[in-house]
Structures are given as structure tokens and as C-alpha cells.
Amino acid sequence: MFGTLSYNKQKMIIIITFLTIPLLLLATFTYYPALKLIYYSFTNWDGYSPEKPWVGLDNYREVFGNPDIFKVFTHNFAYFVMGILQNIVAIYFAVVLSSKLRGKNAFRIMLFLPYIMNGVAVAFMFGYVFDTTNGSLNLFLNSIGLTGLGQTSWLGTEGLVNYSLASTGFWRFMGYNMVIYIASLQAIPKDIYEAAKIDGAGSFQTLWRITLPNMKPVIQLNLFLTVTGALEVFDLPFVLTKGGPAGASETYVQKVVDTAFAFNNYGLASAMSIILLFFVVIVLVVQQLVLSRGGDK
Amino acid sequence: MTHSKFRSVDFIKYVTLLIGVFVVLFPPYVVIINAFKSTDEFNSSSSMALPKSFLNFDNFIAVFQRGGLLSGFGNVLVIIIITLTLNILFGTMVAYVLGRFKFKLKPLVFGAYLVATIIPSITTQVATFGIIKSLGLYNTLGAPIVLYIGADVIQIILYLQFIRNIPFDLDESAMVEGASLFKIYRSIIFPLLTPATATLVILKTISIYNDMYIPYLYMPKQSLGVVTTILMRFQGVNSGEWNLICAAILLILLPTVILYFFLQRYIFEGVTSGAVK
Amino acid sequence: MRNKLFSLSFVIIMILSLSLTGCGSNNTNNNAATATDEPAATAAPANTGGDAAATTEPAAPSGADISGKITFLTNRTDMIGKEYDEYVKRFNEKYPNIKVEFEASQTDYNQQAKVRMASGELPDVMFIPTIPNSDLPKYFASLDDLGLTDQITFKDFKSYEGQLYGITTGNSTTGIVYNKKAFADAGITEIPKTWDEFLAACDKLKAAGVVPLASNFKDKWPLNDWVYSVPRIIDGDPNFPNEKLTSDTPFTMDNGYGKSLSLLRELNEKGYLEKDINSTNWEQSKKDIASGKFAMYYLGNWVINQVIGAGTTSDNVGFFPLPYDNSGTITAPLSPDFFYAVAKNSKNVDAAKAFVKWMIEDSGYEDFAGFISPLKGKESNLTQLKEFQATGVVLQEGTVDDAQVTEITNKAQLDLPAMAQEFVLAKDPQTVFDKWNKAWAKAKKDLGY
């Protein structure tokens, strides 16, 4: 009987049996394809034929020989800014909706609603929101008297287009982040709050001293995802602007996908993906260093 | 005195919430109004104009008659049930091991889940496709299921956070009574993770339900359509019957809203506080 | 959250479908999927294929002899459950033992097809993605035994070493599709025959408060003709696109590319396109053309049925060739759409071939989609086309893309419609040409051509 084994033996068995299948899944569907990607990056494979000619480091040389490729990362900055903002707003609403408040369930449902919506619907809707001449956003701005602002070409102005696109992501995923934050708020034991109350802490103090520190792992994770998401953004510009006007909203991953499937150069695209991975890792390591220093006080 | 202060705080809360709700509801306006327009009306009126009647359900009926939608609901339901059962099982198992035991490879396991997040999946699809095909899962419901069941890092972190707050005393007193570690997982940890599980059930159900790419790439067979791929069929390459699509979008939205509405009460009731004490 | 990214990136692609809404269903060559490198064809030896094959037509077996189940990967997802059901019913009258199933591919046909090719998981009947013609025999069965080789148009486009691998699903010419009432209301009594007359017409339309030409600039694919076919008709040389091979500066102001794009730029500068060309909406534009808010499109004839479907009558929609200069003699391009192909490894090659043949000869798909028939000499039912041809226009067929040109294009990551966007928006269009000439010359040198 399992229960009669010593706890140490049980521990061994549990660790092995509980981890085998999940790790196998991870290895098969995430790491094996990633390894393949590394292999492809050393070939000039066209993406479909059986031959995958080895070319060594040629693809990497080509990417670094053409620094223009990296210029598109400036477009990604907007997604980073909006991502941070999205998290701040999500935390705010999570805290508000975890407090005693009439109708909070209704508000939770409402704010989460965008995440439920289908991607097709989102793209369709925002096509109409951002339209310059007939768009609902400009109509609205005009109707409240902001006629100057109501002429804006939200998707056609360089410098603005990425923020418009990123705000679509904000709209869609804020509620998701909020729910994650609410869930993590629930994990904070109630007695801590009661103790704080007895000590006479104000609500702001409670937030700053208890709530936020307790949410740290989740906040950190969401920050991590914000950064990654900003670097790897692809769908929004692809759907709404096709990278326009004149490439002002093109993103790196979009370039990768084009290279692979439109220009039949899967090898080069793989090298570009691997380089992106390195960038993400570097950014995250930096973030980790900064955060952990801040956490030490 | 404190009374009035609280009121003003509440006032700010409500104002910000209402702004939030307005922003949320602003874009869907166009979908909702166009779902009630006939084709002629859709063609002749501005996309922003209100429909003649909100009682025109012809589009909704047409969506159902075009068919496939019911079997689409069926297929996606099967996928979701199987996926969630296994995913929750695996997720809690991993979280239990990571949250309760110390062992050498622990950071590595956690790191593996974290790093998995940053691999851009779009670029690995060729290899993934090859695996699915060699497993014989291509054009079966098994393909999306195996791709969805793996635990993801947010799930693990959420569970870990809950496990951390389950007092270890509970485990210990169970051990004193001679319970096996498996029993502790099954009768203490797993039930106490319920609030997190409920959240994850909602989030995952929604993301699976709305995912178009995996079903589209891995099971293009007509009889295996899910709601998203069926929605897609209303779109021609140059021509979309957008009034129908809008109606379909609303129809598809309905089950998730209902699900969310019911489950959210359960989640937010805060099962934790009662159980943990 | 991997999940979030996952679903994000995927929903994304999914969403592409939305963008594709904007894209050509009927018009592959106007399709975003293929936009970047139009037909990735090689210079196949053209004339040898037909004759050999025509003689080997199988002794027309009766339909019931062929049996099996086939799948067809189609981009016309809107026809699944509608027109396709009806096609299958009629098809089964002739071939009762063939079962046809459809698979939907809408978001990015090219991408999906290539991912499947990489794993050898092809449907029995499909469209040919953008691969060099030299790769065709690796994946597809020769179609010469269908006995259609001599009757079909564009038979050289998807051939290799004398074997036919792809048959066009339908063809399109490109011209000005316009709202007749909008023209009449603006006081335009005759269709413009020169560029100056065209500009004058635009001016009248603009004065009447109508947007003269809906470019759908933002969606990029509607610009395809300006870079793929207008340059060659302006230059009067069907092979013009391939002549890039011999040049280090293929883009100059005084060749086809410069002249064609300058026309588009001029229209924009004069305010004859949408008010904000970076914010256009394809679905909405069809309604606006139908209602007369917009007056014209410059697109393929496939769009005519869609404009009519968006809320007007057939007799209100006209079609005439674009007068790209002041000479008065006009040429218009003729281009094929997607090409049908049959997978070489199909378990039911005969059934798949029978289906392709039936689609070409009997389905009536070209009329539904508003194409010109893939078969030679078959009259189109589209009244607008007769009107178009009555202007005395000469139709110019393109030539097969040179494999080396395609290779350089891919290496240089040259996306012509995207270049057109840059050209129109740039302060100094010459800088755009300089940039791409440089990229072209470098790619050409790197490849050793």
C-alpha cells in the first residue's frame, strides 16, 4: 500500500508521477518545436520542402547585417506603455471590486466582457471605432464638442497608430488581468486585514503595506507577460492596419511571419525568432534584477 | 465624519467604474445594432445607425438554419470538458509538487514553465504540426485537446499562491492521522484550490471557446467545426454577410456570458476564507 | 498566460480572416495571401505541355466507375453549406460514388497550405500556394490526362517541364467599376477615354460631393493591380515584370512602375481618393459604391457582383478600362485567379481529378464568383464585361513569373503593394524607389544573378 511507505519514499513517488505527464506535454509541444526552430535557423529551408540545406550561421549574419530589421522595435514601445497602464488600471479595479460595494458583481461582469468576445468581433468593432470619417470614436468626440480631436486619423497617423492599436489590446485584456488580480486578492488571508484594522491602518496604508506586497508574484508575472507581449505583438497591427501607414505599425513578429510564409525563407525567419527569444530573455533578466533590488529595500 | 469621507471615496469608485463600463460597451455597439438589420437595411443604412426594429430576429434564425452551429457547440463542449478535466488535474498536481516539496530540480521545472511563455508559438507551428500528424491526431478532436491540456505558468502561479496560504498544519495533522501524501493532495489541497480552479475554468473555457487558430489549422474537417470556425464560414473572402456575422457573434457570446454569470458568484464568494481560517 | 499569448497570437491569425474579409475571395491575385509575391511561378517551357496531353484523354469512363472520398481545401468558406452543397448534389448526379468534403481555409491560404505541405498532409484538391513551379511535381499530380489542356486559359502558369499541374479557377480583367447614377448626377455623360478626361470626371464627381475613387488603400491588397498589372500594360510589354532580372534599378520614374504609381499618387494629391486613405473600410466601401457615395473602384470584374449584392441593381453598375494615358488606345490586363491542383499522394487521384474537371466545366462557379471562364472562348454572363469589351480594349495576358525574379523578390523582401503605399505617402517618392532599388541590387548580387 502506498500509504504505508515512508513519507520520503512517498514524496519521491509523488514528485515523479505527478510531474511526468505535465512535463512530457511541455517537452513535446513547446520545447521540441523550439529545438526544431533552432535547427531550422541554421538552414535555408523554404518552409515546406523535404530538403533543409545547412547554411551554418548565414541567417544570423544576414539579420545582424541588416540593422533596419530592429528598427521596428520602436513600434513595440507603445504596446509596452499601454501594457503597464493596463496593469495599473486592472489592479485599481481589482481592489475596488474586492471592497464592499453595491453592484460590484455587475461591474465585474461588465469589465470582463471584452475578454469574452471573439477575436473576429473585436477586429470588426475596432475597424468601425477608429474609422476617420464614419468611426464611432470620432463621431463621439464631435458630439461632445471636441471637434478638433474628432478629425483624428487614429490608424493613419505615424506615431499615433501604435497607441491606437495597443489601446485595443488594453480594451480586450484589462478585464482578464483584473480577474487574475481579484483571484490573487482572494488568496490573501483575511486575518491579515483584520490585524491591520486593529492596528488602525487606513485603507491606503492597507493597500500599500498589505495588498500590493501580497500580490507581488502575480504583478511580477503580469509585468513579465506585458514585456513579452509587447515584444511579440503581432495580431493587432496585422488585422487592423496591415502594418501601415507605410510600415509605421509593422512589428517584428509580423516580419518573421512574412519572411517565413510570404518570402519562403523559413530558415531566416527561424533565426529571427531565436534572436527575438534572446532579446526577451535579456529584457527579463534586467527586469528581474531591477525588481529584486527594489524588493530588498 | 468618517461617514462622509467614505461616501466621497465611493463616489470616485463609481465614477471610474462607470467610465470603465462606458469604454467597454462603446465598441460593441456596432455589432449589436447590425445584428438586427436585414440585408437590405444593412446595405442601405449607415453602420452606425440604429436598426428599424430590435425585434427582427431573422438573422439569428438564419444563422441557426445555415447549420453547423449546434454541432459546433457540441464539438467545442467535448473539447472543453476533456481539456479542463485533464488540465486542472495536471495543473494542481504540478502546483502541489512545486508548492509542498523541496527537491533539486524544482527551480528548473518552474523555469521551464516560465520560459515556455516566451517562445513565440506562431513560429513553431510547422514543427508542432508535424508532431500532431505523427501522433495521428490530425483532423481529430484530440489535436486541440493535447495542445490545450498542458498547464501554463499563470495557472501554476495562481495555484502556488493559494497553496502557500493553505497552512502546512493541515498537511501535518493529516500525516499524524496517517494519511498518505496522495490522500493529502486529494482531500485537502485539491478541494482548497477550488476558488482558483473556478477562475481558471472560466478563463480557459473562454480562451478555448474563442480560439480559432488551433481548430482551424489542426482539424479543418467540416464535421469537426467549432463555433469559431463556423463563424468564420460566414465570411467570404471579399464578401462578408456582416449582419449575419454580427448575429452569430452575439449568439456565440451568449453561452460564455451565462457561464461567467453563474460561475463568477461562486468564485468571488471567496471559498478560501471559510476553508482556511 | 502562455495560454493568453497562445490564444492571442492565434486568435490573431484567426482575425486575419477579418482582414481577409477585406481581401480577395474571388481574386487570388488580389488576395492578401499571395499579395507579396504574386504568382511564384517559374519560367516553365510553355508550349510543350498541351499537345502531348490532349491526345491522352482517357476513354471517358462512366461517372459511377470512379469512387472514393475526397477533400477540397477552399478559401470560399462562405460557400460551404450553401453553393457548395448544391455543387456536390449536381456533381453526384454524374459521379454518384464520389464523396466530397470541404475544408475551410480563409485566414491565410498560403500559410496553412505550406504548414501542411511540410508534413505531407495535403487535401486531395486544393489551390496552389506560392511555390516555385519547379516544386510542383513534388506535390501535385499532372492534370494533362483531363483532356482540358488545350481548352484552358493560362495553361503555362502552373506547368513544369511540359506537364500541367494547375488549372485556373477563373480569370479577371481589371478596370474602373463605377456607379452609373453617380456619374450621371455629376454630369458625366461619356466614359473617359484619356487620362485627362478621367481627371476631369474625377473633378466633377468631387464637386458633386462624391468620393471619386475608392482605393481601399489601407488594406493594401486593393493596390495589387497598380503594381502587378498596370506597369506592364503601360509599358506595353507583358514580360515587363520579369525584366527586373536584368536591371539593378528596376524602379524608375519613367518606367512602368514609376508611371503607374505616379497616377495613383496624383489621384491622392488631387483629393480624388478617400478623405483619409489610411483609414478605409472595405466592407463599407462596397455599400458606398452601391449607394453612390463613392463613385469608382479600380479592381477586377469579380467585384461587380459584390457591388450589386451590396445594394444596387446590375444596370447601375458600369465597367470600363482605366485610361492610363492620353493616347486613347487602351490595354487592360487579364489575370488568372487561384489554380486548382490535385495532390500527388491523394488516395483517390481519379476522383479528385474528376472533381476538378467538373468544377471547371460544369459547376458554374465562374459565374457565381463573377469571373471570366477558365475555358477558352466561353462567354461570360456578366453584362458589364460586354460593355467593357465594347470599348475596343485590348486584353493583355501576363507572362509566367521568372523563377529568378521571384527568388530575388523574396530575398529582398520586396512587397510591391507595400511599396506602392510608401510611394503614395512619401514626401519624395524617389527616395522610396532608391531604397528598393538598393535592396534589389543587393539581393540580386547576393544570389549571383
Side-chain angles (χ1 to χ4, degrees):
Chain A
M1 269 309 286
F2 180 66
T4 57
L5 294 173
S6 78
Y7 279 115
N8 258 339
K9 277 216 178 100
Q10 282 191 29
K11 183 182 141 186
M12 279 295 291
I13 294 170
I14 289 271
I15 289 178
I16 292 169
T17 50
F18 274 26
L19 289 182
T20 307
I21 297 179
L23 289 182
L24 214 59
L25 283 169
L26 193 65
T28 314
F29 295 108
T30 306
Y31 284 97
Y32 175 74
L35 288 178
K36 279 275 201 177
L37 197 66
I38 295 175
Y39 164 66
Y40 295 148
S41 75
F42 295 111
T43 69
N44 67 0
W45 189 37
D46 56 17
Y48 55 91
S49 51
E51 308 83 39
K52 304 182 178 70
W54 184 267
V55 294
L57 286 169
D58 276 11
N59 289 322
Y60 291 92
R61 259 180 231 125
E62 183 157 350
V63 176
F64 287 109
N66 183 5
D68 278 358
I69 292 179
F70 300 117
K71 273 190 197 154
V72 292
F73 277 121
T74 55
H75 304 157
N76 293 54
F77 185 70
Y79 296 91
F80 177 70
V81 173
M82 294 303 276
I84 298 289
L85 207 61
Q86 175 185 332
N87 277 290
I88 293 172
V89 173
I91 293 174
Y92 169 77
F93 281 128
V95 170
V96 166
L97 291 177
S98 296
S99 63
K100 282 206 181 75
L101 200 72
R102 195 172 293 186
K104 66 178 176 185
N105 277 348
F107 283 118
R108 278 175 181 174
I109 293 179
M110 278 307 191
L111 293 180
F112 187 67
L113 194 70
Y115 183 72
I116 299 180
M117 298 212 79
N118 196 283
V120 177
V122 174
F124 173 69
M125 288 176 337
F126 278 88
Y128 277 103
V129 168
F130 287 130
D131 194 276
T132 308
T133 36
N134 302 312
S136 52
L137 181 56
N138 279 347
L139 287 181
F140 172 73
L141 290 173
N142 284 324
S143 73
I144 60 169
L146 297 169
T147 43
L149 215 55
Q151 308 293 323
T152 315
S153 175
W154 298 101
L155 297 180
T157 312
E158 223 186 307
L160 183 63
V161 56
N162 290 308
Y163 287 92
S164 303
L165 291 172
S167 65
T168 307
F170 182 113
W171 181 86
R172 189 152 179 225
F173 292 110
M174 194 283 291
Y176 173 87
N177 286 357
M178 183 191 77
V179 166
I180 296 289
Y181 284 129
I182 290 179
S184 88
L185 281 173
Q186 312 250 315
I188 304 174
K190 292 277 185 292
D191 39 2
I192 302 188
Y193 284 105
E194 272 152 32
K197 217 182 210 172
I198 293 165
D199 293 345
S203 52
F204 185 77
Q205 260 180 318
T206 319
L207 175 74
W208 196 248
R209 291 279 157 77
I210 299 175
T211 311
L212 290 182
N214 267 291
M215 289 167 77
K216 198 178 160 196
V218 176
I219 295 176
Q220 231 169 324
L221 176 71
N222 271 326
L223 213 60
F224 165 87
L225 293 170
T226 300
V227 174
T228 320
L231 284 171
E232 296 183 355
V233 68
F234 166 71
D235 54 341
L236 291 168
F238 189 90
V239 173
L240 284 168
T241 61
K242 296 280 183 333
S249 63
E250 195 184 22
T251 67
Y252 187 80
V253 176
Q254 196 179 334
K255 254 192 198 307
V256 173
V257 172
D258 279 350
T259 304
F261 296 107
F263 299 121
N264 285 354
N265 201 339
Y266 207 92
L268 183 63
S270 301
M272 289 167 75
S273 311
I274 299 294
I275 290 167
L276 174 66
L277 263 177
F278 271 103
F279 280 154
V280 174
V281 169
I282 291 169
V283 171
L284 293 175
V285 168
V286 171
Q287 181 195 325
Q288 213 53 39
L289 288 177
V290 172
L291 279 185
S292 59
R293 185 180 298 169
D296 288 344
K297 285 188 195 168
Chain B
M1 214 173 84
T2 44
H3 192 67
S4 67
K5 184 185 157 202
F6 265 84
R7 275 196 145 172
S8 68
V9 169
D10 276 358
F11 180 72
I12 295 172
K13 283 181 184 174
Y14 278 115
V15 169
T16 48
L17 283 169
L18 286 174
I19 292 175
V21 170
F22 175 76
V23 171
V24 162
L25 291 184
F26 188 67
Y29 170 77
V30 66
V31 171
I32 295 167
I33 55 167
N34 284 308
F36 293 94
K37 292 182 184 173
S38 70
T39 305
D40 280 347
E41 192 186 352
F42 178 76
N43 285 335
S44 59
S45 69
S46 152
S47 299
M48 291 293 151
L50 287 172
K52 282 182 201 138
S53 157
F54 273 108
L55 295 174
N56 173 14
F57 293 109
D58 294 355
N59 292 331
F60 298 91
I61 295 165
V63 166
F64 263 105
Q65 279 171 346
R66 189 77 75 83
L69 201 57
L70 280 179
S71 84
F73 278 123
N75 284 333
V76 81
L77 199 67
V78 170
I79 294 174
I80 287 173
I81 290 173
I82 298 178
T83 302
L84 286 185
T85 311
L86 293 172
N87 170 272
I88 297 296
L89 202 64
F90 293 150
T92 49
M93 276 160 45
V94 172
Y96 175 57
V97 169
L98 291 182
R100 280 300 195 238
F101 305 134
K102 284 207 172 72
F103 57 101
K104 254 195 216 140
L105 296 177
K106 188 164 137 178
L108 198 72
V109 173
F110 185 75
Y113 276 102
L114 201 63
V115 173
T117 312
I118 62 175
I119 297 172
S121 45
I122 290 200
T123 48
T124 55
Q125 59 180 328
V126 169
T128 312
F129 193 93
I131 298 168
I132 293 290
K133 198 209 159 201
S134 56
L135 291 175
L137 294 173
Y138 180 69
N139 247 338
T140 69
L141 291 177
I145 289 173
V146 296
L147 291 173
Y148 295 141
I149 48 174
D152 62 75
V153 72
I154 199 143
Q155 176 175 24
I156 288 170
I157 291 204
L158 210 56
Y159 275 142
L160 281 180
Q161 203 182 349
F162 271 82
I163 288 184
R164 250 199 356 235
N165 288 317
I166 299 174
F168 197 65
D169 306 356
L170 286 183
D171 297 43
E172 276 172 350
S173 55
M175 282 186 208
V176 171
E177 284 166 28
S180 70
L181 288 178
F182 181 76
K183 187 152 189 242
I184 292 174
Y185 159 75
R186 206 195 52 185
S187 353
I188 299 177
I189 305 293
F190 189 83
L192 287 179
L193 288 176
T194 309
T197 301
T199 306
L200 289 165
V201 165
I202 292 189
L203 296 180
K204 286 194 174 277
T205 301
I206 288 165
S207 71
I208 295 171
Y209 186 79
N210 280 332
D211 183 21
M212 217 155 343
Y213 192 71
I214 286 180
Y216 154 76
L217 187 62
Y218 296 101
M219 41 175 217
K221 206 176 182 176
Q222 221 180 325
S223 58
L224 293 180
V226 297
V227 286
T228 46
T229 47
I230 285 163
L231 172 68
M232 216 168 91
R233 287 188 204 154
F234 289 103
Q235 271 175 268
V237 188
N238 279 334
S239 55
E241 295 161 279
W242 275 107
N243 46 341
L244 283 191
I245 293 171
C246 289
I249 286 170
L250 291 186
L251 275 178
I252 288 174
L253 195 57
L254 216 57
T256 30
V257 173
I258 293 171
L259 173 92
Y260 179 59
F261 190 76
F262 280 108
L263 271 187
Q264 63 90 21
R265 293 173 65 193
Y266 176 60
I267 307 170
F268 297 130
E269 258 159 29
V271 189
T272 16
S273 53
V276 178
K277 286 218 172 110
Chain C
M1 192 69 159
R2 185 154 82 91
N3 204 7
K4 177 184 165 183
L5 288 181
F6 248 46
S7 55
L8 213 154
S9 48
F10 286 154
V11 160
I12 291 160
I13 294 215
M14 194 30 216
I15 296 177
L16 312 197
S17 62
L18 215 224
S19 51
L20 269 210
T21 332
C23 292
S25 110
N26 309 352
N27 57 319
T28 344
N29 47 351
N30 289 344
N31 195 316
T34 52
T36 35
D37 45 346
E38 207 178 7
T42 52
N47 301 321
T48 48
D51 324 305
T55 50
T56 58
E57 181 167 3
S62 111
D65 292 352
I66 310 176
S67 63
K69 202 181 91 174
I70 56 169
T71 53
F72 172 30
L73 183 66
T74 177
N75 66 332
R76 285 306 297 260
T77 53
D78 56 323
M79 293 171 65
I80 295 176
K82 281 177 87 184
E83 289 82 6
Y84 279 140
D85 281 1
E86 187 253 332
Y87 289 178
V88 170
K89 222 167 97 198
R90 279 167 38 218
F91 176 69
N92 281 343
E93 282 166 15
K94 198 168 173 189
Y95 299 97
N97 296 323
I98 301 178
K99 192 170 179 312
V100 185
E101 282 196 353
F102 296 93
E103 293 183 350
S105 167
Q106 185 175 6
T107 57
D108 189 335
Y109 200 94
N110 215 16
Q111 187 174 342
Q112 190 184 8
K114 282 180 190 167
V115 170
R116 291 176 66 161
M117 281 165 84
S119 305
E121 185 66 68
L122 287 181
D124 303 293
V125 179
M126 65 183 292
F127 303 128
I128 297 180
T130 55
I131 58 170
N133 280 9
S134 54
D135 282 343
L136 291 175
K138 294 184 198 159
Y139 304 97
F140 302 114
S142 162
L143 297 177
D144 284 312
D145 55 1
L146 285 183
L148 289 172
T149 314
D150 278 347
Q151 301 167 42
I152 54 167
T153 49
F154 295 105
K155 69 178 158 78
D156 306 331
F157 269 54
K158 298 291 171 190
S159 292
Y160 187 69
E161 293 186 334
Q163 298 276 307
L164 174 75
Y165 294 98
I167 299 177
T168 172
T169 53
N171 307 319
S172 276
T173 181
T174 311
I176 298 287
V177 176
Y178 69 105
N179 182 311
K180 287 187 176 170
K181 189 167 175 297
F183 264 46
D185 290 350
I188 305 164
T189 47
E190 261 183 74
I191 59 166
K193 293 198 180 53
T194 65
W195 181 247
D196 287 343
E197 286 174 28
F198 185 75
L199 292 177
C202 287
D203 203 50
K204 281 184 187 165
L205 289 163
K206 197 183 173 196
V210 169
V211 172
L213 185 88
S215 64
N216 285 299
F217 188 88
K218 185 196 87 178
D219 286 333
K220 194 165 86 175
W221 65 263
L223 305 179
N224 283 5
D225 275 302
W226 293 100
V227 284
Y228 291 126
S229 56
V230 179
R232 69 172 156 89
I233 55 175
I234 286 188
D235 221 72
D237 175 4
N239 201 38
F240 174 72
N242 287 336
E243 279 157 16
K244 292 202 286 285
L245 183 59
T246 56
S247 169
D248 275 345
T249 53
F251 307 110
T252 63
M253 285 298 174
D254 56 2
N255 75 5
Y257 288 111
K259 284 181 190 164
S260 166
L261 293 179
S262 295
L263 298 180
L264 185 62
R265 192 179 157 93
E266 184 179 359
L267 291 175
N268 184 46
E269 278 172 348
K270 294 200 161 135
Y272 295 157
L273 304 183
E274 296 95 328
K275 195 174 149 204
D276 180 358
I277 53 172
N278 289 314
S279 171
T280 54
N281 182 327
W282 164 247
E283 284 302 323
Q284 183 67 34
S285 79
K286 282 192 285 187
K287 294 203 257 173
D288 289 340
I289 294 265
S291 72
K293 239 173 110 182
F294 294 171
M296 302 183 274
Y297 273 140
Y298 180 60
L299 288 172
N301 44 263
W302 54 267
V303 81
I304 293 171
N305 282 348
Q306 298 201 14
V307 171
I308 296 167
T312 185
T313 52
S314 175
D315 55 12
N316 190 32
V317 182
F319 191 39
F320 64 85
L322 175 78
Y324 45 81
D325 61 21
N326 286 326
S327 67
T329 54
I330 303 176
T331 307
L334 184 67
S335 315
D337 200 84
F338 266 135
F339 285 78
Y340 289 117
V342 169
K344 194 171 84 173
N345 297 328
S346 161
K347 287 193 193 96
N348 297 302
V349 175
D350 289 338
K353 284 183 177 177
F355 182 70
V356 168
K357 187 171 162 118
W358 187 87
M359 282 299 287
I360 298 282
E361 288 182 327
D362 301 318
S363 68
Y365 169 67
E366 69 274 13
D367 283 334
F368 172 75
F371 287 140
I372 300 168
S373 170
L375 295 172
K376 282 181 194 162
K378 199 172 165 190
E379 282 272 314
S380 166
N381 288 341
L382 210 61
T383 50
Q384 281 83 359
L385 266 174
K386 297 196 179 91
E387 212 176 286
F388 186 83
Q389 270 155 346
T391 61
V393 65
V394 180
L395 290 183
Q396 185 201 67
E397 293 186 15
T399 53
V400 185
D401 275 12
D402 185 291
Q404 292 179 331
V405 171
T406 307
E407 216 180 315
I408 301 172
T409 307
N410 285 345
K411 178 91 179 165
Q413 306 219 338
L414 169 64
D415 178 3
L416 286 173
M419 184 184 80
Q421 287 183 322
E422 289 179 51
F423 186 96
V424 171
L425 294 174
K427 277 202 188 76
D428 177 8
Q430 183 62 47
T431 58
V432 176
F433 274 178
D434 289 347
K435 176 177 120 188
W436 286 110
N437 280 333
K438 209 176 117 201
W440 180 268
K442 180 172 180 297
K444 188 162 161 266
K445 190 163 152 258
D446 287 353
L447 289 167
Y449 293 140

